[in-house]
Amino acid sequence: MRTRTTTALVAAVLLATLTACETTPDEDTPAAGPKASATPTLTDEQRAEVREAAGLPSEPDAVTATEFIKALDAIDPRIADGKNDKAISRGLNQCSSIKDFGKDQDKLATLALGRFTIDTRLPELNTPDTGTKINDAVHKHLCPDF
């Protein structure tokens, strides 16, 4: 239930940001000027607030991100597969699951396998042991406080 609430909160914040940023000149208004960008620009503070509301830790610094990718590569280099930004994003999202499910290691392992698409991309690695190793790497490098 908490996941739905925080997801709904994040969606509401993002939707409000999107609608606040979009402007459309009236057809009757000549030369309304340049149209505002449809892509919202969030400040670092706003991003941090959205991440906190979603139960996600802050973005890792370069050293931490590198160590996290090294930990995934030690499990199997195909997990990150050179897509480090995507792997970090998935890891940060897994932190939310770690926070929500706590000590339910079986559930967390299953979620990690799905989140990192091991279950579909790398079926030979689709084991609880791999999911647990991924969670250990996520917890150690991205959200040690969870």
Side-chain angles (χ1 to χ4, degrees):
M1 200 62 148
R2 177 178 164 86
T3 301
R4 289 183 190 156
T5 303
T6 56
T7 302
L9 177 63
V10 170
V13 169
L14 291 175
L15 182 60
T17 303
L18 284 172
T19 43
C21 292
E22 185 174 332
T23 60
T24 306
D26 293 334
E27 290 180 19
D28 298 331
T29 307
K35 187 175 179 180
S37 171
T39 305
T41 303
L42 299 176
T43 65
D44 289 341
E45 184 177 301
Q46 289 170 321
R47 276 191 201 92
E49 288 173 4
V50 170
R51 295 187 74 72
E52 184 178 336
L56 300 173
S58 60
E59 290 284 333
D61 60 29
V63 171
T64 303
T66 299
E67 291 301 314
F68 174 63
I69 297 301
K70 284 181 184 177
L72 290 180
D73 287 347
I75 300 166
D76 191 295
R78 297 174 296 169
I79 294 173
D81 198 26
K83 298 172 185 163
N84 297 353
D85 289 343
K86 187 177 278 190
I88 291 167
S89 176
R90 288 174 175 168
L92 291 170
N93 286 327
Q94 186 66 11
C95 285
S96 178
S97 295
I98 291 170
K99 186 174 184 180
D100 288 344
F101 294 104
K103 297 187 187 289
D104 187 347
Q105 296 301 314
D106 293 337
K107 177 75 171 172
L108 290 172
T110 301
L111 290 170
L113 292 168
R115 182 163 278 135
F116 283 82
T117 65
I118 307 277
D119 54 351
T120 57
R121 284 187 311 124
L122 305 166
E124 67 278 10
L125 295 178
N126 192 25
T127 66
D129 184 53
T130 302
T132 299
K133 288 177 182 177
I134 291 170
N135 281 323
D136 291 345
V138 167
H139 186 260
K140 178 179 179 181
H141 297 288
L142 300 180
C143 47
D145 297 333
F146 289 8

